[in-house]
Amino acid sequence: MRGAAPAWRRHLPTAALGRAPIVDFDRSDAHQNHYYRRLTRRQPTGPRHYIPSTHDHARAIVAGLGWGLIPEQLATPWLVSGEIVDVFPDRPLDVPLFWQHWKLQSPDLDALTAAVLDTARAELRT
């Protein structure tokens, strides 16, 4: 889960990436900070853009507004086409996902929960 437009290669090595513009989903999105700290043990200092829409967040990265983390399933077509590059392919950031629901006994809710869990097992790395 990571990516940048190909033009962002100039911001490598890692130290320069910390000063480059960052695309966050919103002000609560700490993924980019966490990722950069894991690489360097420092806080990134680049300017921030907040784009609170999943697809628009990814499109802003594709357009070169800055670097950011994009879920692998969403990023794959852009990675394949070369519209974005995987900045550190050997350093993915895995994010735990949780399925929450009411504790109601319902055949429909049970079926939905089973479908979500089956799809997650098939589509996500564990």
Side-chain angles (χ1 to χ4, degrees):
M1 159 172 180
R2 61 261 172 233
W8 286 97
R9 289 182 197 260
R10 72 179 186 273
H11 289 286
L12 301 176
T14 309
L17 188 65
R19 294 185 301 274
I22 300 166
V23 181
D24 286 319
F25 183 81
D26 60 21
R27 294 185 192 283
S28 299
D29 179 3
H31 294 311
Q32 284 70 223
N33 282 352
H34 175 71
Y35 187 72
Y36 187 74
R37 274 194 319 269
R38 195 176 79 179
L39 292 172
T40 66
R41 298 180 187 239
R42 292 189 306 257
Q43 279 287 110
T45 58
R48 300 205 176 249
H49 304 285
Y50 299 102
I51 315 240
S53 159
T54 303
H55 286 90
D56 291 338
H57 173 261
R59 286 187 190 115
I61 293 167
V62 172
L65 197 60
W67 71 273
L69 302 171
I70 305 171
E72 186 175 344
Q73 289 81 0
L74 185 60
T76 297
W78 288 309
L79 288 166
V80 169
S81 72
E83 292 177 83
I84 61 171
V85 293
D86 198 338
V87 179
F88 295 102
D90 58 332
R91 303 290 303 266
L93 177 66
D94 292 325
V95 177
L97 300 176
F98 301 92
W99 173 245
Q100 298 178 349
H101 61 86
W102 294 288
K103 288 191 173 207
L104 299 174
Q105 291 297 325
S106 159
D108 292 338
L109 186 55
D110 292 343
L112 177 61
T113 296
V116 167
L117 294 175
D118 288 345
T119 301
R121 283 185 199 102
E123 297 294 326
L124 302 173
R125 286 187 277 156
T126 57

